[in-house]
Amino acid sequence: MTHVPIRKKEQINYRKLKSDMAPMTVRFVSLLLGYMLASLYCHAQQGPSTGKRLFQTGFEGSSRVLKLNGTNDHGAPMEYIDGVDTSFSANSNWRTDWQRLVKGGRMQVQYTGGDSTKRFARVMAEPGNPKNHVLHYWLNDSWAASENQQKARIQTNLYGINGGLTELYQSVRVFLTDDFNALKTYPRAISWCTISEFWNNEWWVKGEPYGFRITLGIGKASGPQNELKFILNAENAGQKEVWHANSASSTVAVPIGRWFTMEYYLKEGNRDTGRFYLAITPDGQPRQVVYDITNFTHNTTDPSPNGITGYNPMKLYTSKELVNHVRAQGKTLQVYWDDFTLWTDKQPD
C-alpha cells in the first residue's frame, strides 16, 4: 500500500481547529443552559400543578335551579342545580358530572326552612349585563330552623364525597350588592355571616366521631362603620375551636358593589402539614392573598383522616339579628355568583 503524503495546504492544524471550536462550544453550552433555565422559570411561574378540573360553569346554557317534589330532612323543598353550561366542552353538566364525585350525584340547594318570600336561589341574567347569567341569592328574613334556632340560610351542598378529597381548589366570581354596606352599621361585632364551609368529616352523620369544620365568612369588629373583613376559623365536633385567623390584622377589605374572583385552596393535614389559602382578585386589580394558614384541616384526634367529605361551595348563612338589622334599613342581603370551577390536585401559583 502506497503512502500518499498530505500536501501542506491540505494538512489540518488541529491546534487551530480546537481553538476555533472553543467559542462555538461555549455558545452552545450557554444556549443550552439558557433554555434549561427558561424552562425551569416557566414551570415555576405555572405553579407545581395545573390540577384536575372536576367541574366548571358560568351558569349559562340550560343551567337553572330545579324544584323537585317532596321535602328534605328539614321540611324545605328539594332543589338542585340542573342543566348544562354549553359554553364548555366538558365537566359542565349539572345532572351527570357530579355523579362520579358525590353520593346522590347532584349539587343541592338547601334553605332548612322558610319560603320564597324570605329567601331564594335562582339562575338569572346579571343586572345591567343581560348576556351573562349568574346564580342569585336573595335573603330577607329568618325562620325557625335546625338546632332550635331562628336563623337564615341559603347554601349549595356537596355531601358524601366519594373517597374524600385530600386537596381542593375552588375559584368563583362574587358580587355582593351595595346592600351589604348595611352590615357596617351593625353596632356589635359580626362573627357569623358564612359564605363557604368545608367538612372533614360531616359531624352530624350518625356514628361519626371525628367531625371537623372550616368556616369562611364575612365579619367586622365591634362598633359602627368598621370595614368588613373575611373571617376564618376551624372547629372540632361540638364547635370546639381549633384555630382562627385574625381578621383585625388583615389589610384586605371585602369588596362591596363590584365583582371579584375568590380562590381558596384546602389541603388535608395536621398542625404542620394542613393548609388553607384564600386570595381575592377585584376586577381591574391584582390578586390579594387574604390568608395562607398552616394548621389542622382535620379533627385533631382523628388517627386516620380520610379527606374532605362535605362541602358548601356557595353559601349565605347568618343570624336573625343580622338579617333584621339589614331589613330595618330597607335593604336585602344579595349575592351573585358566577364562573364557578372546582379542581383537585391543584395548588396556588
Side-chain angles (χ1 to χ4, degrees):
M1 179 177 179
T2 305
H3 176 70
V4 180
I6 300 175
R7 287 177 293 179
K8 188 171 183 180
K9 67 178 182 178
E10 294 175 332
Q11 288 178 336
I12 300 173
N13 186 334
Y14 288 100
R15 182 175 295 177
K16 183 176 184 302
L17 179 62
K18 183 178 179 181
S19 176
D20 291 342
M21 289 181 66
M24 294 175 62
T25 303
V26 171
R27 285 195 296 271
F28 174 76
V29 172
S30 297
L31 287 170
L32 181 61
L33 285 173
Y35 174 78
M36 292 172 64
L37 289 172
S39 297
L40 288 171
Y41 175 77
C42 290
H43 178 74
Q45 291 298 101
Q46 293 170 353
S49 171
T50 56
K52 177 184 178 182
R53 186 179 284 105
L54 300 176
F55 194 80
Q56 57 189 342
T57 186
F59 300 100
E60 303 297 337
S62 58
S63 299
R64 59 178 177 156
V65 176
L66 177 66
K67 293 184 179 181
L68 302 182
N69 293 328
T71 59
N72 61 23
D73 294 340
H74 301 279
M78 299 285 283
E79 295 187 9
Y80 295 88
I81 306 182
D82 193 56
V84 183
D85 185 343
T86 52
S87 303
F88 302 98
S89 60
N91 306 115
S92 60
N93 188 319
W94 288 100
R95 183 168 293 188
T96 62
D97 285 333
W98 292 112
Q99 291 179 359
R100 62 183 181 274
L101 181 64
V102 295
K103 181 181 178 181
R106 306 289 290 273
M107 183 182 282
Q108 182 185 13
V109 178
Q110 184 183 28
Y111 309 105
T112 63
D115 57 42
S116 60
T117 66
K118 298 184 177 185
R119 81 298 179 270
F120 61 75
R122 65 181 181 184
V123 175
M124 59 173 285
E126 178 191 346
N129 185 15
K131 293 184 179 180
N132 184 52
H133 289 82
V134 296
L135 178 63
H136 179 206
Y137 282 8
W138 186 91
L139 186 62
N140 193 43
D141 204 349
S142 59
W143 54 88
S146 55
E147 294 86 40
N148 296 316
Q149 291 180 316
Q150 180 90 7
K151 50 189 179 180
R153 183 199 317 245
I154 306 172
Q155 66 186 42
T156 49
N157 298 338
L158 291 173
Y159 293 146
I161 296 175
N162 296 325
L165 294 175
T166 57
E167 281 187 295
L168 176 155
Y169 193 108
Q170 174 181 309
S171 174
V172 65
R173 280 171 55 77
V174 187
F175 187 96
L176 306 173
T177 68
D178 287 336
D179 286 6
F180 264 82
N181 284 315
L183 297 182
K184 297 178 183 179
T185 64
Y186 191 68
R188 296 182 293 278
I190 297 175
S191 59
W192 178 15
C193 186
T194 304
I195 58 174
S196 193
E197 277 183 330
F198 309 84
W199 300 88
N200 185 341
N201 300 296
E202 299 112 305
W203 61 39
W204 63 85
V205 174
K206 186 177 180 179
E208 174 52 67
Y210 302 116
F212 183 85
R213 173 176 70 178
I214 293 177
T215 301
L216 173 64
I218 295 170
K220 75 172 187 69
S222 181
Q225 300 304 327
N226 279 318
E227 198 71 62
L228 300 179
K229 299 290 185 70
F230 292 98
I231 54 178
L232 181 68
N233 82 324
E235 299 167 307
N236 280 341
Q239 296 181 310
K240 298 177 180 178
E241 188 171 82
V242 177
W243 57 263
H244 71 271
N246 185 3
S247 62
S249 65
S250 174
T251 60
V252 181
V254 176
I256 306 296
R258 68 181 303 176
W259 281 102
F260 64 96
T261 299
M262 185 164 58
E263 299 170 80
Y264 18 81
Y265 167 74
L266 177 58
K267 179 182 179 182
E268 181 181 76
N270 58 29
R271 189 190 309 276
D272 300 315
T273 60
R275 185 182 179 192
F276 189 95
Y277 167 95
L278 169 66
I280 66 167
T281 308
D283 279 8
Q285 295 183 9
R287 177 191 290 179
Q288 305 169 61
V289 176
V290 183
Y291 295 117
D292 196 349
I293 306 294
T294 299
N295 212 319
F296 278 99
T297 55
H298 61 73
N299 189 289
T300 56
T301 63
D302 193 342
S304 183
N306 62 341
I308 302 154
T309 55
Y311 169 43
N312 305 121
M314 295 163 281
K315 186 163 184 166
L316 182 56
Y317 179 39
T318 192
S319 67
K320 66 176 181 180
E321 291 82 8
L322 207 63
V323 173
N324 289 344
H325 175 79
V326 173
R327 190 177 59 189
Q329 300 176 63
K331 310 293 185 181
T332 303
L333 291 177
Q334 298 181 70
V335 185
Y336 299 115
W337 308 90
D338 200 7
D339 299 335
F340 165 74
T341 307
L342 177 64
W343 295 265
T344 187
D345 301 324
K346 175 181 171 66
Q347 298 85 35
D349 294 338

